[in-house]
Amino acid sequence: MGETEYVFVTGGAGYIGSHTVLELLNKGYQPVVMDNFSNSCKGCDSASQRGIPESLVRVEQLTGKEIIFFKADILDKSALRKVFSKYNFLCVIHFAGLKAVGESSTIPMSYYRVNVGGTINLVEVMKEFGVHNLVFSSSATVYGEPQYLPLDECHAVGSCTNPYGKTKYFIEEILKDLHHAEPNWNVFLLRYFNPVGSHASGRIGEDPLDAPNNLMPYVSQVAIGRRPLLSVFGDDYPTTDGTGVRDYIHVVDLAVGHVACLKKLHDNPGLKIYNLGTGQGYSVLEMVKAFEAASGQKVPYKVVGRRSGDVASVYAATTLAYEELGWKAERGLAEMCTDLWRWQSSNPKGFASTVD
């Protein structure tokens, strides 16, 4: 790689974002990160003198490379223009947005304003500055209740069970319309399944601001003693042990998938949709047992009623990403759990922990 290739990363201080920034640095790209700390503000009080949040300070320490950072909001178009006026971006990787499924049902207008409105702002500024390459952080929630398994990219979308999933679906539709009208755009819609784990160093990981919305951060917080027990929502599903089955993917594999998209830009691929998952489903209780084995800690749980909108089983078909991107998940369940425990045990209070 000769001339510096700048990549704009919105929401790059968050869980998936920070791991992707690390992979970008390792591959020779120069990430320019913008974040407003809405999902990643723990540790902001320990930000460096340059104003960089703790998650990215640690990425710099791990890579020995510097991150360009702006604290700003994607709803602030003037802030976006300011960043774009400084750098000639190869591509934008767009993570920024509100992401709590339950919360989205209580404050849906905030989710539409931030997720959909923010993306429109971003795309309009990209057009102004002649940047036409975009990698979008979508979600398997766009599929709704599976009509068949494994879920492939041809499965029907739009039957979303919550406003968060609807924002991802609406953004996908907006970006499809954009590409149809302006075929010079290269757009990747990456449908994530369930990211877990952390960087193998244990220095960066998932740090939920409040009670975790996802299974494995909750499991790890029970194991470390931050929470008394895990609630398992339903044990009467038609699965091996009655608990819900999901496709869990190591966050580092997910981050590597974004870098694979950047490599694909040389082919001018147009609009592409890829599942990023492992193709393997695990039940809630299988995940608990795997984490207990990796951590040596007991994770007490109680079975409670099903949650509205939950389905029995969801897992991905991953052939397309392998055939077209040369990408597949390399890290298995044991590694996911071991790395998650390394992060949680080294940082019992997340980025707010004092770590020597």
Side-chain angles (χ1 to χ4, degrees):
M1 196 177 292
E3 185 179 344
T4 301
E5 292 187 312
Y6 293 96
V7 178
F8 186 46
V9 186
T10 73
Y15 174 44
I16 302 170
S18 60
H19 285 81
T20 301
V21 167
L22 188 151
E23 294 301 323
L24 289 170
L25 288 167
N26 283 341
K27 294 299 182 181
Y29 297 97
Q30 176 57 65
V32 177
V33 177
M34 191 172 87
D35 204 299
N36 69 351
F37 300 151
S38 66
N39 293 320
S40 55
C41 68
K42 281 193 177 178
C44 293
D45 54 351
S46 60
S48 71
Q49 291 181 346
R50 291 163 48 227
I52 294 183
E54 181 65 18
S55 59
L56 297 183
V57 169
R58 295 187 184 190
V59 170
E60 289 187 327
Q61 292 168 349
L62 288 167
T63 61
K65 298 179 180 179
E66 187 171 300
I67 297 166
I68 302 166
F69 179 78
F70 295 85
K71 183 181 179 183
D73 195 301
I74 56 170
L75 294 178
D76 185 347
K77 222 170 183 180
S78 63
L80 285 168
R81 289 192 180 105
K82 181 179 178 182
V83 178
F84 274 77
S85 68
K86 292 178 180 291
Y87 304 97
N88 181 24
F89 290 118
L90 167 69
C91 184
V92 174
I93 301 179
H94 180 31
F95 296 108
L98 301 177
K99 62 176 188 175
V101 170
E103 181 185 65
S104 74
S105 295
T106 62
I107 52 169
M109 295 311 295
S110 294
Y111 274 69
Y112 293 126
R113 181 174 61 254
V114 173
N115 294 7
V116 179
T119 301
I120 292 172
N121 271 356
L122 176 64
V123 167
E124 288 177 344
V125 173
M126 289 176 68
K127 286 179 63 173
E128 287 178 31
F129 287 87
V131 180
H132 299 110
N133 298 325
L134 176 63
V135 180
F136 173 58
S137 164
S138 191
S139 167
T141 58
V142 301
Y143 292 118
E145 184 159 358
Q147 297 173 13
Y148 57 83
L149 290 171
L151 289 167
D152 60 29
E153 290 85 351
C154 295
H155 188 285
V157 293
S159 299
C160 310
T161 57
N162 55 75
Y164 164 76
K166 289 176 184 176
T167 66
K168 296 294 189 181
Y169 168 67
F170 293 152
I171 292 167
E172 283 198 4
E173 292 299 298
I174 289 167
L175 295 176
K176 288 176 185 177
D177 288 342
L178 170 68
H179 179 261
H180 180 76
E182 302 178 32
N184 60 320
W185 280 76
N186 294 306
V187 179
F188 295 90
L189 308 178
L190 301 184
R191 294 173 178 167
Y192 306 166
F193 281 71
N194 295 267
V196 298
S198 77
H199 188 260
S201 66
R203 294 285 288 151
I204 58 172
E206 188 168 10
D207 188 18
L209 300 184
D210 301 305
N213 292 290
N214 300 319
L215 173 64
M216 294 310 288
Y218 211 107
V219 167
S220 67
Q221 289 189 9
V222 171
I224 203 71
R226 284 176 63 178
R227 303 192 183 279
L229 53 80
L230 171 72
S231 293
V232 175
F233 297 102
D235 64 351
D236 56 350
Y237 288 103
T239 60
T240 54
D241 58 25
T243 63
V245 169
R246 299 292 181 269
D247 187 333
Y248 296 91
I249 176 173
H250 198 295
V251 67
V252 173
D253 281 327
L254 190 56
V256 170
H258 295 75
V259 179
C261 291
L262 298 190
K263 295 177 182 176
K264 186 74 172 176
L265 288 175
H266 299 296
D267 299 333
N268 268 331
L271 185 136
K272 292 290 183 178
I273 302 171
Y274 297 114
N275 288 336
L276 295 186
T278 65
Q280 171 69 55
Y282 292 102
S283 75
V284 172
L285 294 185
E286 285 174 331
M287 294 300 291
V288 169
K289 290 174 184 175
F291 189 82
E292 288 179 335
S295 65
Q297 305 295 310
K298 192 69 180 170
V299 179
Y301 67 87
K302 66 175 180 180
V303 176
V304 297
R306 294 186 183 189
R307 287 184 302 192
S308 175
D310 277 353
V311 298
S313 296
V314 178
Y315 53 92
T318 59
T319 304
L320 190 62
Y322 181 67
E323 289 178 346
E324 296 192 1
L325 293 178
W327 173 92
K328 66 177 180 179
E330 302 284 354
R331 296 159 181 82
L333 179 56
E335 192 168 352
M336 296 178 208
C337 293
T338 298
D339 289 343
L340 173 57
W341 179 240
R342 186 179 298 112
W343 153 254
Q344 187 69 83
S345 58
S346 301
N347 304 270
K349 297 181 180 178
F351 287 115
S353 302
T354 300
V355 181
D356 294 328

